[in-house]
Structure formats: structure tokens, C-alpha cells
Amino acid sequence: MLPAGQMIDRYVVEAELGRGACAVVYRVRHTRLGSRHALKLLAHPPEALKTRLDLEGQIQARLRHPNIVAVTDVIVHSGMPGLVMDCIDGPDLGEWIATAQPDPDTAEAIFRGILAGLEHAHQLGVIHRDLKPNNVLLEIFGTAPVPRITDFGIAKDLDSSVNLTRTSVSMGTPRYMAPEQWRDSKNVDERADLFSMGSLLYEMVCGEPAFPQDNLPDIYAAVSSEGYIDPRTHRPDCPDNLYAAIVACLRPTPAERVPTCEVLRAILDGEPWTPPHLTVVPTHKLDETFFIHEDVPRRRPWFRAAVVTLLLGAVGIFAANTFHHQEPVVPSPPTV
């Protein structure tokens, strides 16, 4: 932890704003200009994290939009890079939902701002991959909060040859992740962010997460099967356009999900949208190899026990079919 008053390059530390598993954010002041900024420094300096922070800075510096937190400078402190960003004096979206309990009109206004920032990122080939309430900050102007998307730490840049994500690795926050992102974060597209947007809108309208389960297998089962409580059970006054937007975003199969921010905005404007019908629904299995920004316990003993049970069942089926001189039957993975 850096003490107040410590000098770092052209900035003086004023206070710690928050910390996560990988980084600490401080409020700092430019010594010549007097302007206030947020400084993000790595808490642990593994080389892979340094590279990712550099990439985060490069991506976020390209994104210039009123609904995105801008990166304005990069400094080096004790051999570690630090990102200098806009300092937002306001709560994150999760804190605001808990205290403000927004009405549908206010929720829609905030959501449209987030959507505008995300559309700008998508137009520049950037997939955020970790949209959640903690990664949306609210800048308060009078009584109208302005949402600002932040933390592009695991973003995917479609225009870059640099990709630090391994194939078949899960990265993100489970209860806000699309099913396909659980299986392979490297190959997701804009539709994964739109699933996360549906989770955000649900929480803003209903006051609680769409997928409140507390362990990975239960969350995966829910996100893969539209296993959320109907929004009107929580909020009977949920307007038709917000209801339609939530349902369109939270479809488990990417091909049946709302495809772009532009189409989602049209749904908010009241235009009807019908997803394409799929005659074949692919089957998938959960690969919980690795998570970044994980918000729930992994429960690995449960998962290992389930795998052992499935394997023993497969062996028993194989033996029974072999005895009757038939082809062995292999259990199918869970259907999404």
C-alpha cells in the first residue's frame, strides 16, 4: 500500500480507492496541473500480468467515449507499469443499485449509456469479456448518473495479433458470463458481451442478479438453460421493451441471442425482434479449467466427485453392452 503524499512520477498519492486480486487503484493528483486521476498499479508483478496491463492500457487508450473511462498516461513504479485514468467520483453500478433501487425509466437511461459505450468498443474491435456491476462506474452530474465502463483487463482485441488467452480457458465473472465464454473465452465475439448486458439489465430492473446461485456447477446450469426467475415476478411493472431486451440477451445459444448493440438498441426502442430458429442445438460440457475475476467458490471436491460418478457410470454401461455384444453407449454431455 502506498501512503498518502508519496510521489510517483508526476503524481502524488492522495488515497487508496480500491483493490482487487491483481491490482490496487489510488487517487492521485498531477503535481503541475493539479488535476485528479486514478492510478492502477499491479499488486503482484508476474511478467504475464505486466504484459496484460500494458495491453489493457493500449486498448483503453484507443476508446474515447463519454461512457468509457479513459486511460491518459502510463508510468512505471518499482519496475511495474501503472495506468493513469479518469478519476470517477461516484459509486459503481452494484453499489448504486443496492442504494438507489432505480425505477424502470432510470434503469433504462443508465443501461442505454452503458450500451452506447459498449457499441463504441465493439466498433473498434474490442470485446470487454468482463461486464459486471463492479466494472461500471457512475459519474454523478446533478441527479443524472452517467455510466462509465472500466476495467478492460481481460478484453479481447479483434484487430490485434496479441492474445493472452489460452484456448478452452474460462475468463470472466461466472454469473455474468455467456455459456460459450465458460467453455472458451478466446473465441467469443460481441454476443458474449451482450449476454452480460442482459445480466446487468436484469439486475438493474429486478434489484438482484439473474443468476444468484453460489457455486459454479449451479451457475453454469442456470446460464445454459435460461434458468432465471421471470423479471416480472420481481418487478410486475417491468416495461415490455426492457423485458424483451432481457430475454433477447440471455438466450444461451449465441446464434439465437441478440447479435449486436444496434439491434439491442432497436429492441429498447420498441421494435420487434425474433431470433433465428435453430433445428440443431449443439451439446457442450463444462470446462472449469481456469477463471480470472472469479466471484464464487470453485467447489472442486463436488466437481471431482461428479466426474468420478460419470466415469463409473460410463464403465458400467460399456460393460453391460459388451456382454450383449452391442456397441458401447457413451453418455452425452449436458445440453445447452
Side-chain angles (χ1 to χ4, degrees):
M1 178 176 177
L2 300 179
Q6 179 169 338
M7 290 289 302
I8 300 179
D9 201 279
R10 301 176 297 280
Y11 304 89
V12 58
V13 175
E14 291 190 337
E16 180 179 321
L17 294 177
R19 62 174 57 225
C22 300
V24 185
V25 179
Y26 298 92
R27 186 178 70 238
V28 297
R29 178 172 45 83
H30 195 288
T31 54
R32 296 287 297 274
L33 301 177
S35 53
R36 283 188 166 83
H37 306 266
L39 173 63
K40 181 176 183 178
L41 289 174
L42 290 176
H44 308 287
E47 198 60 39
L49 288 181
K50 291 183 184 180
T51 304
R52 184 167 289 283
L53 190 68
D54 279 334
L55 184 60
E56 175 185 352
Q58 293 169 22
I59 289 174
Q60 206 162 336
R62 284 167 42 206
L63 305 177
R64 293 294 182 176
H65 191 276
N67 296 113
I68 295 177
V69 174
V71 168
T72 57
D73 198 1
V74 177
I75 64 171
V76 177
H77 174 67
S78 299
M80 293 186 293
L83 301 184
V84 180
M85 303 175 288
D86 293 339
C87 186
I88 308 301
D89 289 325
D92 66 44
L93 183 63
E95 295 168 337
W96 181 76
I97 291 172
T99 57
Q101 298 179 341
D103 60 81
D105 288 343
T106 304
E108 180 179 347
I110 298 296
F111 184 77
R112 283 180 179 270
I114 303 169
L115 182 62
L118 183 65
E119 184 172 18
H120 174 73
H122 285 181
Q123 288 171 346
L124 294 181
V126 174
I127 314 299
H128 191 284
R129 295 196 296 190
D130 197 23
L131 286 169
K132 59 183 177 181
N134 291 353
N135 285 343
V136 178
L137 303 179
L138 296 180
E139 193 166 18
I140 308 300
F141 289 107
T143 58
V146 176
R148 306 280 295 274
I149 302 172
T150 190
D151 199 342
F152 286 75
I154 61 171
K156 175 183 177 181
D157 187 354
L158 298 177
D159 297 329
S160 174
S161 59
V162 179
N163 196 319
L164 302 180
T165 306
R166 302 194 307 272
T167 301
S168 299
V169 165
S170 298
M171 299 176 67
T173 302
R175 61 172 48 97
Y176 299 98
M177 283 166 51
E180 68 270 20
Q181 190 170 336
W182 285 68
R183 298 184 291 270
D184 182 1
S185 293
K186 182 176 182 179
N187 294 309
V188 299
D189 59 21
E190 292 89 343
R191 293 170 296 182
D193 278 350
L194 290 169
F195 185 94
S196 301
M197 288 290 283
S199 295
L200 288 183
L201 182 56
Y202 184 104
E203 195 161 335
M204 294 170 69
V205 170
C206 300
E208 63 178 67
F211 308 105
Q213 293 80 6
D214 64 357
N215 64 75
L216 294 177
D218 287 349
I219 295 175
Y220 181 74
V223 301
S224 300
S225 62
E226 295 179 289
Y228 54 87
I229 296 173
D230 188 290
R232 284 180 173 146
T233 299
H234 297 293
R235 195 76 184 242
D237 62 340
C238 177
D240 291 343
N241 65 329
L242 299 188
Y243 187 92
I246 291 170
V247 172
C249 287
L250 292 183
R251 290 189 174 273
T253 305
E256 293 186 318
R257 193 179 306 144
V258 59
T260 65
C261 292
E262 182 181 7
V263 174
L264 178 54
R265 188 171 58 253
I267 294 173
L268 291 173
D269 290 339
E271 295 185 18
W273 179 76
T274 302
H277 176 69
L278 294 184
T279 57
V280 178
V281 179
T283 58
H284 303 282
K285 66 178 181 178
L286 168 62
D287 179 1
E288 60 158 345
T289 308
F290 177 66
F291 277 93
I292 290 182
H293 295 190
E294 189 173 290
D295 277 358
V296 295
R298 294 178 62 88
R299 306 289 177 90
R300 282 198 176 276
W302 184 98
F303 188 80
R304 282 195 294 266
V307 171
V308 170
T309 301
L310 288 174
L311 289 176
L312 289 176
V315 170
I317 293 171
F318 177 81
N321 281 278
T322 301
F323 178 80
H324 291 289
H325 303 287
Q326 297 175 351
E327 291 296 322
V329 178
V330 180
S332 299
T335 299
V336 177

